[in-house]
């Protein structure tokens, strides 16, 4: 039986791919709830959205929490329980060295102050540099001086031991749990996934 079939004595052909071009499915004015949404979407913007609440925090009020790497601390600014992303401020002391690690999701950072580089790459990263690290990248940052950066991890980070075995996995949940243990999550909304 083909997709286009003639029904009994009816001479019209039924095509499940193509919608009917008449009726309330096409004319929004014939469907009151749809017409209301169209009206809202095309109305003039006259003020701020009052039904959604922005969250503004003074980062000075958020305690520093030890990050899962010696010589580093972080302030958890936000997590996205749906995507697994985490937004943080990350402080790295002058002699702290990150292990070889892989980003399971992309990472973005803005270096506020300090200087560091990726092993094997000539260009160092200084103040006011934006960094994008694609998902799947394996690299080894080398710290030159103390630094502070704003970062967004769009997925877990896997750290490796020198022999190539997994040393640990940093997830948004781990960062939240560490910050919660340090009483550093009062500025965040209640978790829904727990």
């Amino acid at each position: 039986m083909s997709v286009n079939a003639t029904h009994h004595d009816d001479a019209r052909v039924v095509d499940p791919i193509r919608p009917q071009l008449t009726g309330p499915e096409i004319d929004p004015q014939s469907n009151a709830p749809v017409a209301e949404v169209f009206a809202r979407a095309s109305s003039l913007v006259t003020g701020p959205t009052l039904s959604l609440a922005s969250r503004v925090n003074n980062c000075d009020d958020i305690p520093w929490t030890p990050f899962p790497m010696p010589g580093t601390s972080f302030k958890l600014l936000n997590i996205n329980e749906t995507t697994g992303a985490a937004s943080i401020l990350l402080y790295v002391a002058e002699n702290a060295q990150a292990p070889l690690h892989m980003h399971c999701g992309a990472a973005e950072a803005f270096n506020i102050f300090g200087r560091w580089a990726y092993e094997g790459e000539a260009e160092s990263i200084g103040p006011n540099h934006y960094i994008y690290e694609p998902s799947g990248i394996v690299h080894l940052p080398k710290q030159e001086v103390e630094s502070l950066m704003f970062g967004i991890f769009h997925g877990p980070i896997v750290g490796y031991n020198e022999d190539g075995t997994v040393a640990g996995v940093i997830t948004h949940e781990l960062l939240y749990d560490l910050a919660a243990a340090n009483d550093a999550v009062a500025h965040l909304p209640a978790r829904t996934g727990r």
Side-chain angles (χ1 to χ4, degrees), residues 100-170:
L100 184 69
H101 61 273
M102 178 182 69
H103 290 271
C104 296
E108 298 177 75
F110 178 79
N111 200 51
I112 299 167
F113 68 76
R115 188 163 292 282
W116 54 280
Y118 295 113
E119 184 176 272
E121 296 184 21
E123 185 178 342
S124 67
I125 296 160
N128 297 320
H129 279 88
Y130 166 80
I131 304 98
Y132 174 80
E133 300 170 343
S135 177
I137 193 168
V138 177
H139 57 194
L140 184 62
K142 293 292 190 178
Q143 202 64 34
E144 296 176 15
V145 297
E146 73 174 341
S147 65
L148 177 68
M149 66 189 80
F150 168 73
I152 303 172
F153 301 131
H154 294 283
I157 301 167
V158 177
Y160 297 102
N161 294 310
E162 288 184 14
D163 65 0
T165 60
V166 173
V169 179
I170 299 172

Side-chain angles (χ1 to χ4, degrees), residues 8 28 32 34 43 63 72 89 91 98 101 123 159 179 184 187 189:
H8 303 290
V34 171
S43 66
T72 61
L89 278 177
Y91 171 78
H101 61 273
E123 185 178 342
H187 61 288

